[in-house]
């Protein structure tokens, strides 16, 4: 199935503290408990920077209401402090992997916009950073 990808949407694992080192299997278990069929994200970037595949890109995600059919979801582990408050605490390795992954995806889907979950859902702080501003900085405003 070819999907018309118009957005790459970044998320954080909102209920994991800076010290938690979860993986795609843990996210999959959590999402199944939330009555989803399987993990809602297409990719997960662990704190060490390792990227793991989740839901196949050919399948719509289960991550951002109203945007799943035309987007690819990337989740960064972390994003909260010990008290569960939003905190941009992603590692340098995660951010380097995020940049690489987005570049790879944009090579396949050049018209896609890079966004954060919080751009679509004001109840969520996810992913604890302004993804659009970060991406513009990474590309020197050339996105």
């Amino acid at each position: 199935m070819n999907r018309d990808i118009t957005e790459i949407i970044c998320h954080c694992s909102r209920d994991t503290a800076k010290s938690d080192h979860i993986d795609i299997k843990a996210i999959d278990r959590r999402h199944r408990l939330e009555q989803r069929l399987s993990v809602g994200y297409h990719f997960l970037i662990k704190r060490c920077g390792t990227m793991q595949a989740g839901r196949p890109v050919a399948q719509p995600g289960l991550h951002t209401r109203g945007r799943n059919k035309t987007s690819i979801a990337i989740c960064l582990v972390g994003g909260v402090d010990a008290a569960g408050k939003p905190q941009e605490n992603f590692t340098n390795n995660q951010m380097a992997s995020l940049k690489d992954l987005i570049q790879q995806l944009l090579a396949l889907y050049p018209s896609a916009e890079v966004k954060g979950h919080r751009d679509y859902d004001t109840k969520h702080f996810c992913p604890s950073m302004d993804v659009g501003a970060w991406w513009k900085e990474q590309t020197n405003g050339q996105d």
Side-chain angles (χ1 to χ4, degrees), residues 8-94:
I8 298 165
I9 303 177
C10 299
H11 299 261
C12 69
S13 55
R14 294 179 313 218
D15 48 0
T16 55
K18 184 177 177 179
S19 60
D20 290 343
H21 296 277
I22 63 171
D23 63 8
I24 198 71
K25 290 179 184 177
I27 297 285
D28 183 52
R29 282 190 299 275
R30 186 176 303 151
H31 283 187
R32 288 175 191 271
L33 289 173
E34 295 171 355
Q35 306 304 310
R36 300 183 201 186
L37 298 175
S38 65
V39 64
Y41 307 121
H42 298 98
F43 301 95
L44 178 81
I45 300 176
K46 295 170 53 173
R47 297 210 47 87
C48 63
T50 300
M51 185 201 64
Q52 294 181 309
R55 179 178 289 261
V57 171
Q59 293 179 4
L62 290 170
H63 56 92
T64 306
R65 189 177 308 252
R67 304 285 177 167
N68 293 321
K69 288 183 181 179
T70 58
S71 64
I72 294 175
I74 303 169
C75 181
L76 296 161
V77 172
V80 297
D81 65 15
K85 301 286 185 205
Q87 183 181 59
E88 189 177 332
N89 59 18
F90 307 113
T91 67
N92 291 337
N93 288 338
Q94 281 179 294

Side-chain angles (χ1 to χ4, degrees), residues 5 49 58 77 104 110 112 115:
I5 302 300
V77 172
Q104 290 172 36
K115 299 285 192 171

Side-chain angles (χ1 to χ4, degrees), residues 98-111:
L98 178 61
K99 181 178 178 182
D100 289 345
L101 177 56
I102 290 172
Q103 288 173 327
Q104 290 172 36
L105 292 171
L106 287 175
L108 297 171
Y109 310 103
S111 62

